[in-house]
Amino acid sequence: VSFNAIESALSSLKNCQSYINSGMDVATQVALDLVESFNDEEDVNNMEKVMLEYATMDRELNHYIKAFEETLNQVKREKPENLPDLENLVQEKFLEMESVNSDSDLQRNEKYMYFKDQLKEMKKQCKNNFFLFFPILLSHKSDHGNDTIEQIDEDLAVTRSQMNFICPITQVTMERPVRNKVCGHIYEEDAILEMIQTQKQKKKKVRCPKMGCSHVDVKGSDLVRDEILKRLIDSQKKQ
């Protein structure tokens, strides 16, 4: 196997990585839809199994990529007179990495951790909506008899509209909210990233723009999409 063949294979593997990431994003969205629609818990658990399968593929792919890269660097560094069997070298390194696999590796997969976090938030939100909806329903039944579902939905929408969907930077309703993993505050994605980039050019740190927050070093790597809040915002817009 030549250097060109190895580099071509490496490029293909990295392309496969993007497909795995996309698959995990889709699986996350499906799981959130299931929870939001109050589907059977078994269906949600099946989506978690799918995520773990993706995480396994991602780990295996990462090991292959690392084995390829280490083999290329080793051969280029040693510059042997006769080119060794690159395929066998890669396979040996890959098997060595796979031999120390553990289930905890999968639990630490970034996409899987995000899946678990968003699932937890969605379940909490659905529970909150349950306790939000039924007092309104009971109130209408006692005060107005059998009131219409449309009126109940309207009152529920008014209650939701009181939630804070405003970005602390732009002061307008967010469209792509991201949550800071360090302090928990939420901002419009483009706005916070622009602030980080601007301050980076000035070689300065970014203080969390949420009033009263003491976090003084907001980084792009600390930001995660808040799918639950986005769904609430989108739902509110439809109202």
Side-chain angles (χ1 to χ4, degrees), residues 20-31:
I20 290 176
N21 287 334
S22 296
M24 295 182 90
D25 288 340
V26 170
T28 298
Q29 293 300 320
V30 170

Side-chain angles (χ1 to χ4, degrees), residues 135-148:
I136 293 174
L137 176 61
L138 293 174
S139 172
H140 275 277
K141 281 189 174 181
S142 60
D143 296 341
H144 308 288
N146 292 326
D147 212 336
T148 65

Side-chain angles (χ1 to χ4, degrees), residues 15-61:
N15 284 335
C16 289
Q17 240 176 350
S18 66
Y19 297 136
I20 290 176
N21 287 334
S22 296
M24 295 182 90
D25 288 340
V26 170
T28 298
Q29 293 300 320
V30 170
L32 293 177
D33 286 340
L34 291 171
V35 173
E36 192 174 31
S37 304
F38 297 99
N39 275 267
D40 191 85
E41 186 69 20
E42 185 179 351
D43 293 333
V44 179
N45 291 338
N46 285 336
M47 293 313 301
E48 183 170 355
K49 291 176 183 177
V50 169
M51 287 295 290
L52 287 171
E53 288 174 6
Y54 271 124
T56 302
M57 287 189 287
D58 185 60
R59 178 179 63 188
E60 184 175 321
L61 199 53

